[in-house]
Amino acid sequence: IAGITQAPTSQILAAGRRMTLRCTQDMRHNAMYWYRQDLGLGLRLIHYSNTAGTTGKGEVPDGYSVSRANTDDFPLTLASAVPSQTSVYFCASSDGAGGPRIEQFFGPGTRLTVL
Amino acid sequence: AQKITQTQPGMFVQEKEAVTLDCTYDTSDPSYGLFWYKQPSSGEMIFLIYQGSYDQQNATEGRYSLNFQKARKSANLVISASQLGDSAMYFCAMRERSFGNQGGKLIFGQGTELSVKP
């Protein structure tokens, strides 16, 4: 059982380049999330999806886009990377999104450096 | 707006002693959940413990317990009998009820880095 996989593990990217971070889960969870982690700021939500075919903006969505074509995959795209997008990116999923108790499971993270 | 605050950027504790990591929150929703996650140096996020706003008793999970003081809006994590493997970053997070397409988003605190001394 893999849970959530993310690719790549790490990446160094030139500013202005386009980059897609991949996230796949095998738990058949309806809801998926993308967070970025920055020192002193904790994790902040970028985008989320309650179910396949729907997406929503989180706290820091600018410069990022997502799609949810199916239940398992939730890619995050940086259309034109900037140095401020240097961060560790976590994908997460949960079995539903309606109640406060629902636990989120996290992927191993992608460390992205934009030069 | 919902907010989570962890005021201790770093803490030290002697092995085998207990330690309390502070977390305060702000929300206007009467139904919410509070989570603690551990992030070791390897980077993964590990779920530790959950407390619901309507739970009558403080949550416990092995050596972890949550000191939930609803009136003060605090949800402190207590680790008993600290072990060297407890050295990690700890995050408090909150989730409100979601309506419509708002999603079950987690709001995280800034984190507390715990170091356990031998």
Side-chain angles (χ1 to χ4, degrees), chain B residues 27-63:
Chain B
T27 178
S28 57
D29 191 337
S31 177
Y32 53 89
L34 297 157
F35 299 78
W36 276 92
Y37 283 86
K38 173 184 179 181
Q39 186 180 43
S41 58
S42 52
E44 71 267 31
M45 295 289 287
I46 302 168
F47 165 73
L48 293 178
I49 196 167
Y50 167 82
Q51 179 83 44
S53 59
Y54 293 120
D55 292 345
Q56 296 297 312
Q57 294 189 345
N58 287 342
T60 60
E61 290 286 349
R63 294 187 298 110

Side-chain angles (χ1 to χ4, degrees), chain A:
Chain A
I1 298 176
I4 298 178
T5 58
Q6 292 184 236
T9 301
S10 65
Q11 181 76 44
I12 299 174
L13 188 67
R17 297 295 295 270
R18 180 183 179 90
M19 176 74 190
T20 295
L21 307 185
R22 299 184 298 278
C23 173
T24 300
Q25 53 107 354
D26 63 3
M27 297 175 282
R28 307 301 295 173
H29 285 170
N30 289 327
M32 297 186 74
Y33 314 84
W34 274 106
Y35 295 88
R36 61 176 288 173
Q37 182 181 7
D38 303 290
L39 192 63
L41 297 177
L43 280 75
R44 293 178 293 167
L45 183 68
I46 304 171
H47 285 287
Y48 65 92
S49 169
N50 276 357
T51 187
T54 69
T55 62
K57 292 182 179 180
E59 184 183 356
V60 288
D62 294 343
Y64 305 95
S65 63
V66 292
S67 62
R68 187 88 184 276
N70 57 61
T71 298
D72 299 341
D73 301 300
F74 191 43
L76 176 73
T77 298
L78 289 67
S80 180
V82 295
S84 62
Q85 292 177 311
T86 294
S87 187
V88 179
Y89 291 86
F90 285 98
C91 179
S93 71
S94 64
D95 186 15
R101 172 59 183 95
I102 298 171
E103 179 187 342
Q104 287 188 17
F105 296 84
F106 285 80
T110 293
R111 184 174 295 274
L112 181 67
T113 302
V114 182
L115 302 177

